Amino acid sequence: VVPQVPGGSRPLTPDDVRAMLAAIQAERGSMDGFECLVEPWAEPELVSALVPAFAQAGATWWVESAWTKPDAGEVRARIAAGPPRPA
């Protein structure tokens, strides 16, 4: 499952993830066989706080996606920093 905000009108939040996963669980009876991938592009200094919040909401994967075409230097810096780690 890859939760998205309709129309991309605002950033995805842990509450969005929690609500989507609850709706799936209510419909199916369980989340068996499902993973939840989130791809928020947050400021690097916010990522360590967001990782645990999304994990607690049920996200099992974090993908760094840049849909707004950041400059190559910013992308390289994020790659060099490695995976996000909780604070």
Side-chain angles (χ1 to χ4, degrees), residues 14-87:
D15 286 338
D16 295 325
V17 170
R18 196 173 289 107
M20 177 177 277
L21 296 180
I24 292 169
Q25 187 161 353
E27 183 68 27
R28 296 186 78 243
S30 78
M31 286 296 297
D32 292 347
F34 277 84
E35 296 282 339
C36 178
L37 181 147
V38 294
E39 51 180 351
W41 183 262
E43 297 302 320
E45 61 274 7
L46 300 177
V47 170
S48 63
L50 289 174
V51 168
F54 276 100
Q56 289 171 357
T60 53
W61 290 86
W62 178 282
V63 174
E64 291 280 307
S65 297
W67 296 100
T68 58
K69 298 183 183 179
D71 74 39
E74 182 181 359
V75 172
R76 286 186 185 100
R78 291 181 88 135
I79 291 168
R85 306 270 185 227

